[in-house]
Amino acid sequence: MTVRFGADDAANRISSLVAPGSVHSIPRYRASKRSWKRLVTCVENKFAGLDVRITDVAPNGNDHVVVKVGGKQRNIGRKGEAIGGLAPFNGESLNNVIVFAFDQGGRYRTQTNCETIAHEVGHIYGLDHSYHCRDVMSYLQGCGKKSFLDKNLACGEHNKRECVGSRPGQNSFEYLQAVLGPAREER
């Protein structure tokens, strides 16, 4: 996938997150088809109960979010400490943006990549970092599988703090359900 710098426009492969001044080519996710299918299924499960459609086929129009899986942060012109993913964030819901989930050292760890994708997508819908290890919006590690928790939690990275927008806490599942809606029954 080739991405250029500018005002976020996923349909035209433009991102405010890439370094200005050049076009950036991001390698594809190189795991097996079986691993890819497991990753897509895992992401679907993270968003279960919400009105979203996860697909690996590019939709038409501008009413979607693109998650680019693969490459490294250097592929978008970013230097510094290695990161698992990156998404635009302003505390509000964004659309037609590109979210990046970088290879985790080429190890293709399905659970880690899945949680990175869910975390970064959570940001584009307005979720802040959670200070609870089991919440997918948390940087805290070592507590097992993460999900969007249906409980009010403090925000923070390595210490508790007030959430973006002066919210005293956030319930990541409830918040996403308010923004995206509950899952619709299949017709």
Side-chain angles (χ1 to χ4, degrees), residues 17 104 131 169:
L17 299 175
Q104 305 293 315
Y131 192 73

Side-chain angles (χ1 to χ4, degrees), residues 11 59-65 94-97 125:
N60 295 323
N62 295 335
D63 190 22
H64 64 276
V65 170
L94 304 169
N95 200 9
N96 196 26
V97 298
Y125 289 116

Side-chain angles (χ1 to χ4, degrees), residues 130-141:
S130 166
Y131 192 73
H132 187 285
C133 192
R134 298 294 302 251
D135 191 83
V136 78
M137 296 308 298
S138 179
Y139 278 163
L140 302 173
Q141 299 293 318

Side-chain angles (χ1 to χ4, degrees), residues 130 132 149-154 163 167-172 174:
S130 166
H132 187 285
L149 294 179
D150 190 7
K151 58 170 81 172
N152 198 45
L153 303 169
C163 298
R167 297 184 310 235
Q170 78 180 3
N171 178 318
S172 61
E174 188 177 83

Side-chain angles (χ1 to χ4, degrees), residues 28-185:
R28 69 178 183 81
Y29 187 68
R30 297 192 189 279
S32 69
K33 287 181 182 181
R34 185 173 169 221
S35 291
W36 176 254
K37 185 171 175 47
R38 281 196 315 262
L39 179 60
V40 171
T41 299
C42 179
V43 173
E44 287 173 335
N45 291 336
K46 295 292 180 209
F47 288 90
L50 302 166
D51 188 17
V52 297
R53 180 171 167 248
I54 310 297
T55 180
D56 60 358
V57 177
N60 295 323
N62 295 335
D63 190 22
H64 64 276
V65 170
V66 170
V67 177
K68 173 55 184 146
V69 182
K72 306 265 188 251
Q73 68 199 44
R74 69 175 178 263
N75 297 120
I76 63 169
R78 294 269 182 148
K79 296 178 181 173
E81 185 178 330
I83 55 175
L86 197 58
F89 174 71
N90 68 5
E92 298 176 14
S93 185
L94 304 169
N95 200 9
N96 196 26
V97 298
I98 301 173
V99 170
F100 298 96
F102 303 115
D103 288 344
Q104 305 293 315
R107 293 183 288 267
Y108 308 110
R109 293 183 173 153
T110 301
Q111 193 64 38
T112 302
N113 288 325
C114 173
E115 289 173 357
T116 296
I117 292 166
H119 177 101
E120 298 304 339
V121 169
H123 280 318
I124 61 110
Y125 289 116
L127 285 173
D128 197 348
H129 289 138
S130 166
Y131 192 73
H132 187 285
C133 192
R134 298 294 302 251
D135 191 83
V136 78
M137 296 308 298
S138 179
Y139 278 163
L140 302 173
Q141 299 293 318
C143 55
K145 291 183 180 179
K146 297 179 178 224
S147 62
F148 293 109
L149 294 179
D150 190 7
K151 58 170 81 172
N152 198 45
L153 303 169
C155 289
E157 291 75 21
H158 306 291
N159 296 295
K160 291 180 183 180
R161 62 166 170 75
E162 193 171 75
C163 298
V164 168
S166 299
R167 297 184 310 235
Q170 78 180 3
N171 178 318
S172 61
F173 182 78
E174 188 177 83
Y175 184 92
L176 286 177
Q177 203 166 46
V179 171
L180 301 170
R184 293 190 246 173
E185 291 185 31

